[in-house]
Amino acid sequence: MSQKSEPADAMHKESRHVVIYGYTKQELAKVMKHFESMLPEYVKISIDSSNLVTRITLTGVNSGVELLRFKLNKYQQNLNDIFSHEVVAMADRTVAQVLGDLLTERELTVSCAESCTGGNIAHRIVQNAGSSAYFLGSVVSYSNDVKANVLGVDRRDIDRDGAVSRSVAESMASGAALLMRTDCAIATTGIAGPGGGSKLKPVGTVWIAVKYLDTVVSECLHFKGDRDTVIESATNHAMVMLIHLLRNSYEAQEDFNDE
């Protein structure tokens, strides 16, 4: 018996995804306004933004499958062109999944040294199936004694610069990589709040360092929001930093005075 042919006007549905990092919802609305006005009626857009990570989904429904695919690919590429350096993925992937994909492809390993994020980076990494292939462990070095005694941070750096500083963050990353013999490392030290801030280092101040082989880079961020928001924001930023370093697309932060 011959199969019944598909109706000529059968509707096809497909989606395309772009994940970007670094835009607030207000900034994103301004950038996306013109792009959204260009979309035809048969292509809908959804934008999910949280802690500077934004997932843009384009969903098209049309009877012409080839035309639909052509248009969706074109609009996805347009978004890639618009955001360029801020694009983390051109697929429906979390930041941790993208990092895991890169580490897996390159057969690299990673470890963490976390102070203000309290193990959240490690938690996000191990949510991925197969993460045991590249994630070796984490030290939650909340106290200065653990920073010094376990990770080998020089106490003179802590006394001179404070625990929330470039020197300490970089030493934490190097210490974690050495301790766990990993190719890469991520370190965070900061003030998640609600207390503990000062005029020079207010609540939300976080120093993040990432290491890839012999290269260590660090940044000072000032995140807004409550304690959970600061922790999640620092977690995302740290992973994105390492993603860019692995992709050779890392752009150093403008010189920051850590005095």
Side-chain angles (χ1 to χ4, degrees):
M1 183 182 292
S2 61
Q3 288 186 333
K4 190 174 181 180
S5 61
E6 190 175 324
D9 60 349
M11 302 303 282
H12 300 273
K13 181 179 181 180
E14 291 195 17
S15 295
R16 299 291 184 273
H17 307 275
V18 178
V19 180
I20 63 173
Y21 175 79
Y23 281 82
T24 65
K25 292 179 181 179
Q26 293 78 12
E27 291 169 339
L28 198 64
K30 294 178 182 177
V31 176
M32 292 294 292
K33 188 175 182 180
H34 177 66
F35 175 80
E36 292 185 54
S37 69
M38 295 167 49
L39 296 176
E41 287 187 7
Y42 60 84
V43 176
K44 305 300 180 185
I45 186 170
S46 66
I47 301 172
D48 178 23
S49 188
S50 177
N51 300 310
L52 299 181
V53 175
T54 300
R55 291 176 180 80
I56 304 171
T57 302
L58 299 169
T59 303
V61 180
N62 197 282
S63 58
V65 63
E66 294 302 326
L67 174 64
L68 180 62
R69 287 173 179 168
F70 173 79
K71 289 290 189 180
L72 285 176
N73 290 340
K74 175 187 173 184
Y75 296 134
Q76 184 188 40
Q77 185 57 49
N78 287 346
L79 287 172
N80 186 50
D81 294 339
I82 290 169
F83 294 106
S84 185
H85 184 74
E86 290 81 16
V87 172
V88 176
M90 296 284 280
D92 189 16
R93 307 288 283 168
T94 66
V95 172
Q97 286 173 331
V98 173
L99 177 57
D101 292 343
L102 280 169
L103 294 167
T104 301
E105 289 165 11
R106 302 180 187 200
E107 298 183 341
L108 299 171
T109 54
V110 68
S111 57
C112 299
E114 302 185 57
S115 186
C116 64
T117 48
N120 196 52
I121 298 172
H123 169 67
R124 291 273 294 279
I125 289 174
V126 301
Q127 284 181 311
N128 298 327
S131 55
S132 59
Y134 52 83
F135 181 68
L136 299 197
S138 177
V139 174
V140 180
S141 52
Y142 216 59
S143 75
N144 290 341
D145 284 343
V146 175
K147 290 180 178 71
N149 298 335
V150 178
L151 294 173
V153 176
D154 194 323
R155 288 186 182 274
R156 290 171 295 184
D157 289 342
I158 297 174
D159 293 340
R160 183 187 67 243
D161 303 326
V164 181
S165 61
R166 183 195 300 274
S167 60
V168 170
E170 292 185 353
S171 293
M172 288 169 64
S174 296
L178 181 64
L179 180 67
M180 287 176 252
R181 299 180 182 179
T182 55
D183 306 298
C184 307
I186 300 171
T188 60
T189 178
I191 306 157
S198 66
K199 186 175 181 180
L200 290 176
K201 296 177 183 179
V203 169
T205 302
V206 181
W207 270 101
I208 300 172
V210 297
K211 185 177 189 296
Y212 171 40
L213 299 180
D214 294 330
T215 301
V216 180
V217 297
S218 55
E219 295 182 5
C220 182
L221 291 306
H222 298 283
F223 298 112
K224 298 183 185 301
D226 60 16
R227 185 178 181 84
D228 288 344
T229 299
V230 171
I231 290 172
E232 288 298 330
S233 297
T235 296
N236 288 335
H237 195 93
M239 290 191 290
V240 170
M241 280 177 66
L242 185 52
I243 288 169
H244 281 304
L245 194 61
L246 291 172
R247 287 175 172 170
N248 199 31
S249 61
Y250 179 78
E251 294 181 358
Q253 184 183 48
E254 291 184 14
D255 194 30
F256 186 90
N257 186 0
D258 191 28
E259 296 300 322

